[in-house]
């Protein structure tokens, strides 16, 4: 396993009016075309396309809620990089899931850590920033590290699903990530929770033990609670606040 403490990447140059390099413009067109062509493709087909198109320039990101997308991707691209953001605030069960994925699956887990430890962040911003300004905390501990950690890839895969919340209902199976200038692949966008459960059962895929303990979506410990009956899967994230996303997928 590799642990990377993130730092500022070098800026990429561009001579185009839209600010994209020629390569980025090609990737954007490719993403938009693939989003249309692969809308009805299966998750393995979408991941095989990504593996064949991008090879080692393709990675999967995982919150270690489950290893479904990592498992699917490892079949298309054995040894695929699986990028995990260690915010310093995870449940022990999440770190254990990460370690188990690394031990039993044909993947290369890369752990990204923020520039500052929690103690360093507390010293600069005061303790419990997640209670006072969760957007800033997520920006420092999730959004920026991922941006910096993804620079070497042309495409990344997520486990986003359209049925998770209204904010994710329009997720394309392949799209252009304008913020990071990468192709963003969401191979299970069209899946339901039942599809996930069936895949986990059929293939014995690792899942976070907290999913068996009332949590429907697993994030940082200070910002995650169990869901109540009838709530959507992400209702336990930043409960009681207007915030519903960490900013990784905006
Ligand atoms: Fe901070 Fe909470 Fe965001 Fe984690 S989910 S980075 S603890 S605000």
């Amino acid at each position: 396993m590799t642990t990377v403490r993130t730092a500022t990447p070098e800026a990429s140059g561009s001579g185009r009016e839209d600010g994209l390099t020629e390569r980025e413009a090609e990737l954007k067109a490719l993403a938009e075309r693939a989003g249309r062509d692969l809308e009805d493709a299966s998750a393995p087909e979408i991941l095989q396309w990504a593996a064949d198109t991008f090879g080692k320039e393709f990675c999967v990101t995982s919150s270690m809620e489950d290893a479904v997308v990592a498992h699917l991707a490892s079949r298309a691209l054995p040894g695929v990089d699986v990028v995990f953001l260690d915010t310093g605030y995870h449940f022990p069960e999440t770190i254990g899931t990460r370690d188990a994925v690394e031990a039993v699956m044909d993947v290369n887990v890369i752990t990204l850590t923020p520039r500052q430890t929690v103690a360093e962040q507390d010293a600069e911003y005061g303790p419990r920033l997640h209670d006072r300004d969760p957007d800033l905390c997520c920006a420092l501990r999730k959004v920026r590290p991922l941006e910096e950690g993804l620079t070497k890839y042309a495409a990344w895969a997520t486990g986003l699903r359209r049925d998770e919340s209204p904010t994710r209902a329009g997720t394309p199976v392949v799209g252009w990530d304008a913020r990071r200038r990468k192709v963003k692949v969401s191979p299970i966008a069209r899946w339901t929770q039942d599809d996930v459960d069936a895949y986990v059962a059929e293939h014995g895929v690792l899942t976070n033990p907290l999913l068996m303990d009332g949590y429907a979506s697993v994030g940082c410990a200070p910002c995650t609670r169990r869901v109540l009956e009838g709530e959507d899967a992400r209702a336990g994230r930043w409960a009681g606040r207007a915030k519903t996303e960490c900013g990784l997928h905006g």
Side-chain angles (χ1 to χ4, degrees):
M1 178 162 48
T2 308
T3 299
V4 179
R5 192 166 186 183
T6 52
T8 308
E10 291 177 15
S12 61
S14 169
R16 294 169 52 93
E17 283 186 8
D18 58 9
L20 302 179
T21 64
E22 292 298 329
R23 161 87 160 142
E24 289 165 350
E26 285 172 16
L27 289 173
K28 180 171 184 279
L30 179 66
E32 290 168 353
R33 192 166 60 245
R36 293 190 295 271
D37 294 347
L38 296 173
E39 168 61 22
D40 296 322
S42 68
E45 288 170 340
I46 294 166
L47 284 163
Q48 195 61 59
W49 169 83
D52 293 345
T53 305
F54 304 109
K56 293 301 286 180
E57 286 191 303
F58 173 65
C59 72
V60 175
T61 56
S62 177
S63 65
M64 298 300 163
E65 185 173 297
D66 62 55
V68 167
V69 176
H71 186 270
L72 283 159
S74 73
R75 301 176 108 193
L77 187 66
V80 64
D81 287 351
V82 173
V83 174
F84 169 69
L85 278 171
D86 186 353
T87 63
Y89 280 118
H90 282 303
F91 292 99
E93 290 88 343
T94 301
I95 301 301
T97 304
R98 188 253 340 245
D99 293 344
V101 165
E102 170 78 7
V104 306
M105 289 176 54
D106 188 2
V107 298
N108 176 39
V109 174
I110 296 175
T111 297
L112 300 179
T113 62
R115 295 182 195 177
Q116 292 183 313
T117 64
V118 170
E120 289 167 345
Q121 178 173 292
D122 287 353
E124 182 170 346
Y125 296 94
R128 303 187 68 81
L129 182 63
H130 46 74
D131 287 349
R132 293 176 287 108
D133 192 344
D135 286 342
L136 177 59
C137 187
C138 279
L140 295 169
R141 311 204 71 74
K142 289 186 170 182
V143 178
R144 188 160 71 184
L146 187 68
E147 280 181 14
E148 294 169 350
L150 288 183
T151 52
K152 69 176 182 171
Y153 302 101
W156 62 299
T158 78
L160 295 180
R161 298 201 327 265
R162 294 172 187 170
D163 74 337
E164 288 178 299
S165 68
T167 57
R168 298 185 173 187
T171 302
V173 295
V174 181
W176 177 243
D177 177 353
R179 181 195 294 176
R180 300 175 189 87
R181 302 181 180 192
K182 314 251 174 236
V183 178
K184 185 172 175 181
V185 183
S186 299
I188 63 169
R190 299 196 330 272
W191 284 23
T192 64
Q193 185 61 51
D194 285 348
D195 294 327
V196 173
D197 294 344
Y199 189 87
V200 166
E202 181 179 354
H203 298 281
V205 174
L206 283 162
T207 59
N208 193 312
L210 294 175
L211 295 179
M212 302 295 288
D213 190 21
Y215 293 83
S217 176
V218 181
C220 294
C223 302
T224 307
R225 67 152 170 78
R226 293 175 176 84
V227 290
L228 307 173
E229 200 168 331
E231 289 184 328
D232 80 41
R234 290 183 61 81
R237 305 288 293 277
W238 304 282
R241 294 179 179 271
K243 184 175 172 66
T244 57
E245 295 282 351
C246 51
L248 295 179
H249 303 294

